[in-house]
Amino acid sequence: MRTHWCGELRPAHAGQRVALCGWVHRRRDLGGLVFLDLRDREGVVQVVCTPQHPAHATAQQVRPEYVVRVQGQVVLRPAHTVNPKIPTGEVEVRAETLEVLNPSRTPPFEVADDAEVDETVRLRYRYLDLRRERMQRNLRLRHRLAKATRDFLDREGFWEVETPHLIRATPEGARDFLVPSRLHPGKFYVLPQSPQLLKQILMVAGVERYFQLARCFRDEDLRADRQPEFTQIDVEMSFVDRDDVLGLVERLVQHLMREALGVEVPAPFPRLSYREALLRYGTDKPDLRYGLAIEDVTELAKAAELRLFREAEAVRCLRVPEGAATPRRELEHLVAVAVEAGAPGLLHLALQPDGPKGPLARHLTDGLLDAVCSATGAGRGDLLVFVAGAGDVASAALGKVRQHVAGRLGMVRDGTFAYAWVLDFPLLEWAPEEGRYVAVHHPFTAPVDEDEEHLESDPLRVRAKAYDLVLNGVEVAGGSIRIHRRDLQERVFRLLGIGPEQAQERFGFLLEAFQYGAPPHGGIAFGFDRLVMVLAGEDTIRDVIAFPKTASAVDLMMGAPSEVDEAQLREVHIAVRKPAVP
Ligand code: ASP
């Protein structure tokens, strides 16, 4: 039906007769002339309808979002009517015929990027929302990244293997979605939280290099920017150590950045230990687009007159470059940010030209002040802010202050991409509400070799062979080298309070497989939606998913979840227990 895309026409097409199809974006009726902006996936072009041609009469009747087909000639626009804002702005199409292929009801909102539309309305009419240029750009970027992923991994010898959606429970620690079995009354399938166990079994099966753009399902409580179903680039490899996986991922990321964005990112990516990330940035997902690292001045502070400093478990400090003149209101705001993040307070010291100012000024001797300045690299004109208290709390609070300050100082520039590895996570953490250790990553993650001997004696000091990839402060991938020996797996299960029967009942098939020659293996999974989100410059993953659910897990367009009729319930042997009305 068409010879060209609307968005592809350029001066080189002048003189050509073309057929275009698309949606009426805007219409301007000047009486004698009717201008239509015609839009398709590739862009918008101006169509002119003059009274000489039958297109004119039809043009007077069309409305926004009508679907039309235009035939006519591409001409150069007169110089004074060139529109430099759109790529087709130097040309227009003189319409000869204009056919309405389908009219449209008046849309509930204008299909335009700058239209302010409530998200519930956008999700309710997602097909209109997706017509917007920005959303089409996001879908295209997502496609390009998926394609580049497949191309790259194929070249590296990976096979894409599909794993089933109807399975037994997997171990990612969220709640499972259940699917009742019709053929087996009272039994249920579980939707995979990830293909974790199956990809490990593929390694036992000799696949060696596996990947999958895999859908994962986690029935989690409402949390900002989570989706009950999401996509991973899931990867597993045999006969590798940690650095092999990191190297592969760095090459994959470089390829994706080049193919999809034309951006070169240097590798290897910076590596931080988990402890270092918490200490220096107050988070295990540090945004390294800017510096502003937190300094530990606990030892120095022991010489302070201020008791609060002398006796604190930790004193941490952040230097705000050129911040000495920060107005009082902003200083109060920094305190609020720190307190909100759990700090008991925040003290500042402004290194003004005529000497230090602020509540701390009179508590620091000159010698101490010099020592703090040299530890933090601070000089005249800077501001120092301090939090005293428990170490992790102090750093976490300064981490929030750090983000706030970076935003305010314009240090976070769009279009910059800072990747970093966070390594050496602890294997276990104590879950007080459950009264047991839980795996920080998942129960199949291997401990660091030299820490293995402390598994029973000092479990919390055992580091894991786990790694997270962080991009601009967002965790975009995580993985680990796995346990491949049954005895070690059983020790870890024991620590996690998973007894032999329970291990057998939940993961028996994996433990059995491990007895038939499991190769050493490891892998990683990217949160694909989050990766696309950051690369697209969006703030929510909903904007890079065609049909997302709301934060309360509802599909507003289809109306899911919904009730089903009694007959369907009977077939799957389910009786619904209505929740008690509070
Ligand atoms: N299955 C893990 C996850 O979903 C990733 C991995 O360990 O490869 O987080």
Side-chain angles (χ1 to χ4, degrees), residues 172 194 196 199 218 232 234 441-442 478-480 482 523-525:
E172 305 293 351
S194 80
Q196 185 61 35
K199 71 174 175 174
R218 298 183 191 175
Q232 287 186 341
D234 195 36
H441 191 56
H442 54 56
S480 59
R482 325 297 182 189
I524 192 162

Side-chain angles (χ1 to χ4, degrees), residues 512-572:
E512 181 183 280
F514 277 0
Q515 291 173 296
Y516 290 92
H521 59 287
I524 192 162
F526 278 77
F528 187 56
D529 312 280
R530 285 202 215 155
L531 179 70
V532 182
M533 173 189 85
V534 180
L535 298 186
E538 295 290 1
D539 296 328
T540 149
I541 57 172
R542 292 189 294 278
D543 282 346
V544 298
I545 297 174
F547 301 107
K549 293 173 184 61
T550 62
S552 49
V554 171
D555 182 319
L556 292 173
M557 185 185 74
M558 301 180 85
S562 66
E563 282 166 2
V564 296
D565 59 40
E566 179 56 28
Q568 268 180 304
L569 286 175
R570 265 176 201 288
E571 255 176 0
V572 292

Side-chain angles (χ1 to χ4, degrees), residues 14 72 80 96 106 119 134 223 229 310 312 328 355 406 415 418 434 492 513-514 523 578:
H80 66 281
E96 286 149 24
T106 303
E119 199 184 14
R134 187 180 116 209
R223 263 209 267 168
E229 54 180 306
R310 269 201 327 267
R328 147 154 289 187
E434 293 175 52
V492 171
F514 277 0
K578 296 268 185 224

Side-chain angles (χ1 to χ4, degrees), residues 365-537:
T365 60
D366 285 353
L368 186 54
L369 184 64
D370 287 349
V372 168
C373 284
S374 77
T376 56
R380 187 169 297 173
D382 291 344
L383 175 76
L384 292 174
V385 292
F386 298 81
V387 174
D392 285 351
V393 172
S395 274
L398 284 178
K400 292 286 184 214
V401 173
R402 173 182 178 265
Q403 285 172 19
H404 174 83
V405 166
R408 216 179 61 95
L409 297 183
M411 297 172 100
V412 204
R413 266 176 295 117
D414 282 348
T416 46
F417 301 100
Y419 287 91
W421 289 110
V422 180
L423 307 171
D424 291 335
F425 285 85
L427 186 70
L428 307 166
E429 67 194 351
W430 181 253
E433 60 288 357
E434 293 175 52
R436 65 178 187 102
Y437 295 112
V438 294
V440 171
H441 191 56
H442 54 56
F444 306 99
T445 296
V448 166
D449 297 335
E450 62 261 33
D451 292 356
E452 218 182 288
E453 55 177 303
H454 305 296
L455 263 176
E456 285 77 17
S457 56
D458 193 0
L460 289 178
R461 88 172 243 202
V462 178
R463 289 164 301 166
K465 287 185 186 166
Y467 28 78
D468 273 2
L469 182 65
V470 178
L471 164 58
N472 293 0
V474 177
E475 180 195 324
V476 289
S480 59
I481 297 299
R482 325 297 182 189
I483 298 169
H484 66 281
R485 288 187 349 249
R486 191 181 164 124
D487 57 327
L488 184 57
Q489 187 66 70
E490 281 172 354
R491 278 169 74 195
V492 171
F493 278 159
R494 220 173 296 130
L495 276 170
L496 294 170
I498 306 176
E501 292 91 67
Q502 210 193 344
Q504 193 52 38
E505 129 83 20
R506 284 179 66 195
F507 313 117
F509 58 102
L510 181 73
L511 297 176
E512 181 183 280
F514 277 0
Q515 291 173 296
Y516 290 92
H521 59 287
I524 192 162
F526 278 77
F528 187 56
D529 312 280
R530 285 202 215 155
L531 179 70
V532 182
M533 173 189 85
V534 180
L535 298 186

